[in-house]
Amino acid sequence: QVHLVESGGGSVQAGGSLRLSCAASGRTFSTYGTGWFRQAPGKEREFVAAITWSRKTSYADSVKGRFTISRDNTKNMVYLQMNSLKAGDTAVYYCAADRVSVVGGTADYWGQGTQVTVSS
């Protein structure tokens, strides 16, 4: 069982930065694939970034070059550094974890979400 809790969301002006954190419980978390998804009002949830247990990363085209995902397995933490934020990045951001990979959009575990609002 893995429990995920996100933090770090907030309001920022376009061009600004935020760092999201995801705290995970569970002794086997270091072996899980993890990642971030987001859902804007009236839209479906979409993939943002993923990182495997071996730290291989992947990103949605819309955030490539602006967002960076990382993890600290000693602390059971996953991070999403978001730079050059745009109004279109406004959404609720969710942390996810899976025994294999979250890239396909499915995951064994989800956090409750944290709101990110970018004003133009």
Side-chain angles (χ1 to χ4, degrees):
Q1 186 78 11
V2 175
H3 184 57
L4 305 171
V5 178
E6 303 96 333
S7 62
S11 296
V12 64
Q13 289 191 331
S17 299
L18 281 174
R19 188 195 195 202
L20 303 184
S21 299
C22 175
S25 64
R27 291 177 294 176
T28 60
F29 177 73
S30 62
T31 67
Y32 279 59
T34 65
W36 293 90
F37 291 76
R38 66 187 182 187
Q39 186 167 20
K43 295 187 177 181
E44 293 187 353
R45 185 173 61 199
E46 63 175 1
F47 168 77
V48 175
I51 185 167
T52 67
W53 65 271
S54 60
R55 295 182 172 80
K56 180 180 179 180
T57 60
S58 56
Y59 298 91
D61 288 343
S62 59
V63 307
K64 221 171 267 186
R66 299 188 298 122
F67 290 11
T68 302
I69 188 171
S70 60
R71 67 189 296 168
D72 184 340
N73 287 338
T74 64
K75 297 180 179 179
N76 275 8
M77 295 292 294
V78 182
Y79 306 99
L80 185 68
Q81 178 66 43
M82 305 186 295
N83 298 329
S84 302
L85 283 162
K86 306 175 182 178
D89 295 319
T90 295
V92 176
Y93 283 71
Y94 297 91
C95 180
D98 190 88
R99 290 174 181 83
V100 179
S101 172
V102 302
V103 173
T106 60
D108 294 324
Y109 304 100
W110 295 88
Q112 83 289 348
T114 185
Q115 177 71 46
V116 171
T117 302
V118 184
S119 56
S120 57

